[in-house]
Amino acid sequence: MTDASNDHAVFTHREIMRVFSGVALAMLMAAMDQTIVATALPTMAHDLGSLEDLPWVVTAYLLASTSTTPIYGKLSDLYGRKRVLQVAIFLFLIGSVLCALAQSMGQLILFRGIQGLGGGGLMALAFTIIGDVVAPRERGRYQGYIGGVFALSSVAGPLLGGVFTETLSWHWIFLINLPLGAAALVMTGRALDRLPAGRAQPTIDYLGAALLMGTVTSLLFVVSRAGVALPWSSPTILGLCALGLGMLAVFLWHERRVKEPILPLHLFREPVVAVANPVVAVSAMVLFAGIVYLPLRSQLVAGTSATTSGFLLLPMVLGMVLGAGGGGRLISRSGRYKVFPLAGLALAAVMYLALGLSPAVSESGLWSTLILVPLGIGLGLVMPVMTVAVQNAVERRDLGAATASVGFFRSLGGSVGVAVFGAVFAADVEARLNAAGLPGISGREVMEHGPSALSSLPPAARATAQSVFEHGFSTLFLLAAGLAVVSFLLTLFLKELPLRSAADAAKAGAEVV
C-alpha cells in the first residue's frame, strides 16, 4: 500500500524546478555518455592496443543501459524513486571511475557495461520523477527544459569527447561525470523526499529481469554485428537469434504469471501504450540518423575534425529545443497532443528527403539552417509528447514501469537504428567502392575507423572514395525519411485521451493503490 497523499501531492513551480534540476543532471550524464566516447575511440584503441574490439566500447554501454531500463522503472514503483535513483547514480559513477582507470580494452568494455547498468536507471527514473511532480496537462511548460537537456547532451557528448581527447586525455570523458554525479546526489537528496516511497512488501521478479536482459543482449548483439563483423548465416549469429527469441518467448510466458512483473504486459493492452512505444522506437531510429551520421558525413566527405563536425548539429539542436518547448506549451493550452507528433514526423520526413537528395546542403551555411532547424523542430515534437501520452494513460501505480517502457523502446530503437543505418551504409559504400575500382577500402573499415581509413589513399582515390561516401549518406538519409513516414503512419492510430490536470490528481487523492 502506498500513501495516497504522497501519491497525489501537488507541487509548486519552485518545488518542481528544484526536483527537475537534480534529475536533469542525472539525465544529462546518461544521455551524454551514449555519444561522448565516439570521438575518442581511435585514441583509446591506440593506447589500449585493440582496434578489433573497439565497437564494444559503445555496444557494452548500450546493451547494459537498454536491458536495465524497464527493470529500474519497476523497482522504483516497488521501492520508491529516490532510493533507486541514488543507487543508479552511485553505480554510474563507480563505472565511470573504473573506465578512467582501465588498463586494457577488455577492462574498458567490462567497466562500460557497469556504467551502462547505472545509465539505464538515470534515463528511466528522470522521466518518471517528472511524471510524479507535474500533471500531464501542465507538463508542456517543462518540455522545453527536457528537450534542452537532450539537445545539449547530443552536442556536448561529441564536442567534449573531442576536446578532452585533444587537450587532456580520453580518461577525462569519464572523470567529468564525478562532479556532475556529486551535484545530482546533493540536489536530489532532499528534493525527492515527497515522492512515493514504494510499496510496503515489494517482491522482485528476478527471473523476469534475467530473461529480459538476456533477450535484449542477444538480439542487440545480432543487429549490431550481423552483416558487419559476422555474416548473417554464421553459427554465432543464428545461435544468438535462436537464443534471443527463445528467451523472449519464455519471458512473455513468465510475465503473465508472476505477481509483480518487471514489464507488466497488461500495460500493452492500453491502446495508447501499445501505439506510443512502437512510434518511439521508430522515431528514435530517425533521430539517431541525424545525431550520429551528420557529423560522420562531415568528417568523411568534407574532411572536418571530430570537434568541428560536432558544431554541425547546433542548428538541429536549436530546432529540437524550439520544437519541444513550443509544442509543450501548445499542449498545455489546448489539452491536445496527437497533432504535434504527426506534424513533427511529416516535417522530419521532408527534411531527411532533402538531405537524401542533396546531403551537401547540411554544410552550406543558410541551407544548413533551412534544413536542420526544421528537422530538429520536427523531432522535438515527438519523444516528449509520447512520454506525456503514456504517463497520462496509465494508473499511478504503474507510472514507473510505463515510463520505463518508453525509455526502453527509445533506447532499443536508437541502438537498432545505429546498427541498421551502419549496415546499410557499409553495404552501399562497399558495393560502390568495388564498382569504382577501389577494393582496398571497405565500408566496414570506414564505420569502425572513421576518416583514418582514408589517410593511406592517394589524393585521386581519396576524392573518388569521398564521392562514394556522399552517395552512401544519401541512401542513409532517404532510409531515415522512409522510417519517419512509417512512424507517422503508426501515430495515426494513437488514441488521444483528455490530459489530466493537477486538480484531477488532487480529486483522485482518496484512491489507494
Side-chain angles (χ1 to χ4, degrees), residues 246-338:
M247 284 192 292
L248 175 61
V250 175
F251 172 75
L252 294 175
W253 174 85
H254 172 74
E255 293 297 277
R256 293 178 181 274
R257 288 158 177 78
V258 70
K259 180 181 178 181
E260 293 284 0
I262 284 293
L263 189 61
L265 299 184
H266 71 266
L267 292 176
F268 295 90
R269 292 196 291 270
E270 164 56 52
V272 172
V273 178
V275 172
N277 279 324
V279 169
V280 165
V282 179
S283 299
M285 298 175 69
V286 176
L287 172 64
F288 273 79
I291 289 177
V292 174
Y293 293 103
L294 279 171
L296 183 60
R297 183 206 172 276
S298 181
Q299 293 179 50
L300 291 175
V301 177
T304 62
S305 69
T307 302
T308 302
S309 67
F311 284 103
L312 175 66
L313 291 175
L314 288 177
M316 184 175 168
V317 168
L318 173 63
M320 291 174 67
V321 174
L322 292 174
R329 290 185 177 276
L330 290 174
I331 290 172
S332 293
R333 292 176 184 175
S334 67
R336 308 292 298 272
Y337 55 83
K338 183 175 178 177

Side-chain angles (χ1 to χ4, degrees), residues 263-460:
L263 189 61
L265 299 184
H266 71 266
L267 292 176
F268 295 90
R269 292 196 291 270
E270 164 56 52
V272 172
V273 178
V275 172
N277 279 324
V279 169
V280 165
V282 179
S283 299
M285 298 175 69
V286 176
L287 172 64
F288 273 79
I291 289 177
V292 174
Y293 293 103
L294 279 171
L296 183 60
R297 183 206 172 276
S298 181
Q299 293 179 50
L300 291 175
V301 177
T304 62
S305 69
T307 302
T308 302
S309 67
F311 284 103
L312 175 66
L313 291 175
L314 288 177
M316 184 175 168
V317 168
L318 173 63
M320 291 174 67
V321 174
L322 292 174
R329 290 185 177 276
L330 290 174
I331 290 172
S332 293
R333 292 176 184 175
S334 67
R336 308 292 298 272
Y337 55 83
K338 183 175 178 177
V339 64
F340 298 104
L342 285 173
L345 288 165
L347 187 59
V350 172
M351 294 303 107
Y352 270 123
L353 182 64
L355 286 173
L357 295 177
S358 182
V361 299
S362 63
E363 298 170 6
S364 55
L366 177 61
W367 276 108
S368 171
T369 302
L370 294 179
I371 296 293
L372 297 185
V373 170
L375 176 60
I377 290 174
L379 294 172
L381 287 170
V382 182
M383 296 292 185
V385 176
M386 289 300 166
T387 302
V388 170
V390 167
Q391 291 177 337
N392 180 66
V394 302
E395 295 180 9
R396 188 165 287 266
R397 64 172 283 131
D398 291 324
L399 183 64
T403 306
S405 75
V406 178
F408 173 71
F409 279 94
R410 182 193 303 111
S411 184
L412 186 64
S415 302
V416 172
V418 170
V420 168
F421 286 127
V424 168
F425 177 81
D428 185 86
V429 165
E430 194 140 359
R432 293 178 186 273
L433 287 173
N434 289 331
L438 290 173
I441 180 173
S442 68
R444 189 179 76 182
E445 289 178 323
V446 172
M447 295 307 299
E448 294 187 355
H449 309 325
S452 63
L454 305 177
S455 58
S456 61
L457 295 178

